[in-house]
Amino acid sequence: MILDLCRRFDNELHRPTMRSRALPVSLQIMAALQFFATGSFQLVNADVHYISRSSVSRCVRDVTQCLVNVCNQHIIMPTDAASLEIIKRDFYEIADFPNVVDAVDGTHVRIKSPSVVEHIFVNRKNFHSINVQGVCDSNLKFLNIVSQWPGATHDAFIWSNSTVYELFENRTISDGWLFGDTGYPVRPWLLTPVLNPTTRKQQSYNGAHMRTRNVVERGFGVLKARFRCIDTSAGTLLYSALMCCRIVVAVAVLHNLCIDNRIPLPPDRNDFPDHGHMAGPAYNGPLNDGAIVRERLINGRF
């Protein structure tokens, strides 16, 4: 996989110069990958690779941009019937829940305090962050990633301004359900848990919903286990807010490449909790037109 990245980004990262010895493409990629994987400060990373701290900074910046440039080739939301049927079948094997095509959730990536409009980056747990939305399939692969909103932004707002929302709203994806938590509005195509279930059928529905939707939480957990630079265990991401957003997209691309290349999960972790997950407050907006669809499903199947 690393050799493939070197070949793929050779033209973008190759620096012909007559002034000094340019860093090889392989070294640039290795320096960036070490930062992504460990979140090590640039000084530590520079000491490992025997290059200057400014060189490490340029490596991270350039490799990140290369990965962002190809994100549309590796983070793809399928809309054709054949691909959606495969996804539905894989989701059904989790908890016998039919017709599920995606699961959506959000996570917070801790960043340093921005120098401008600092207050909009402070989330409900009172630290600065980027609120990242992800859509996963049953294999923990990201089909869509939104990394552009400050930490104070509500999950429902990010969702209603996303491309995936438009795909379902305009019926480009007309057959299938998306799963979200109670922070999202229930719609005919977006199913959320029942708040305060009172019947056995509702409890059974909530249990199957939770087990099925758990894939997106595990997806974020695996993403952060592989790339500690965006996990709170590695501290704070010490870049500008814009660069932090790009780094999140870059590691999501690498995460999908790891899945495509069947790279095993970190061996020392049996579980992959998402340390940036915050259970969103219940959505109380006007769009509740999916409640009838959800209730019909509960009564007819559970």
Side-chain angles (χ1 to χ4, degrees), residues 241-261:
L242 179 59
M243 183 61 180
C244 291
C245 292
R246 291 173 177 167
I247 288 174
V248 171
V249 175
V251 297
V253 171
L254 290 171
H255 169 84
N256 281 3
L257 286 172
C258 288
I259 293 176
D260 291 340
N261 288 275

Side-chain angles (χ1 to χ4, degrees), residues 12-196:
E12 292 86 347
L13 297 176
H14 183 67
R15 298 190 180 98
T17 176
M18 300 298 293
R19 295 178 56 192
S20 60
R21 184 177 179 181
L23 294 180
V25 171
S26 58
L27 181 56
Q28 295 179 56
I29 289 178
M30 291 298 293
L33 290 179
Q34 181 174 10
F35 169 76
F36 294 150
T38 64
S40 298
F41 292 119
Q42 291 179 358
L43 183 59
V44 177
N45 208 347
D47 289 343
V48 170
H49 294 286
Y50 301 103
I51 56 179
S52 67
R53 184 162 52 179
S54 60
S55 294
V56 173
S57 179
R58 286 192 295 271
C59 291
V60 172
R61 179 199 64 197
D62 294 345
V63 173
T64 296
Q65 189 59 52
C66 286
L67 291 166
V68 170
N69 290 343
V70 299
C71 69
N72 290 334
Q73 301 174 31
H74 297 283
I75 302 178
I76 304 170
M77 181 71 200
T79 57
D80 62 286
S83 298
L84 293 177
E85 282 301 320
I86 294 174
I87 295 175
K88 290 177 187 178
R89 185 170 63 246
D90 292 342
F91 268 115
Y92 184 80
E93 293 177 356
I94 298 175
D96 295 341
F97 210 117
N99 217 37
V100 181
V101 294
D102 299 301
V104 62
D105 202 5
T107 191
H108 286 260
V109 174
R110 186 189 291 264
I111 66 171
K112 71 176 183 178
S113 176
S115 58
V116 294
V117 290
E118 171 268 344
H119 63 283
I120 68 173
F121 290 88
V122 180
N123 61 39
R124 296 194 312 277
K125 289 193 175 179
N126 205 34
F127 64 85
H128 299 89
S129 68
I130 300 296
N131 193 351
V132 179
Q133 175 185 283
V135 175
C136 274
D137 65 13
S138 62
N139 297 313
L140 313 185
K141 190 172 181 178
F142 284 97
L143 307 180
N144 182 263
I145 196 89
V146 179
S147 176
Q148 65 184 55
W149 297 101
T153 311
H154 194 283
D155 289 350
F157 178 86
I158 298 175
W159 165 245
S160 63
N161 286 274
S162 67
T163 302
V164 176
Y165 170 86
E166 292 294 333
L167 291 176
F168 281 91
E169 183 70 16
N170 64 24
R171 310 310 288 158
T172 300
I173 300 178
S174 58
D175 181 29
W177 287 315
L178 181 73
F179 274 18
D181 63 20
T182 55
Y184 295 93
V186 59
R187 302 296 306 277
W189 37 264
L190 173 55
L191 298 182
T192 64
V194 176
L195 285 175
N196 304 315

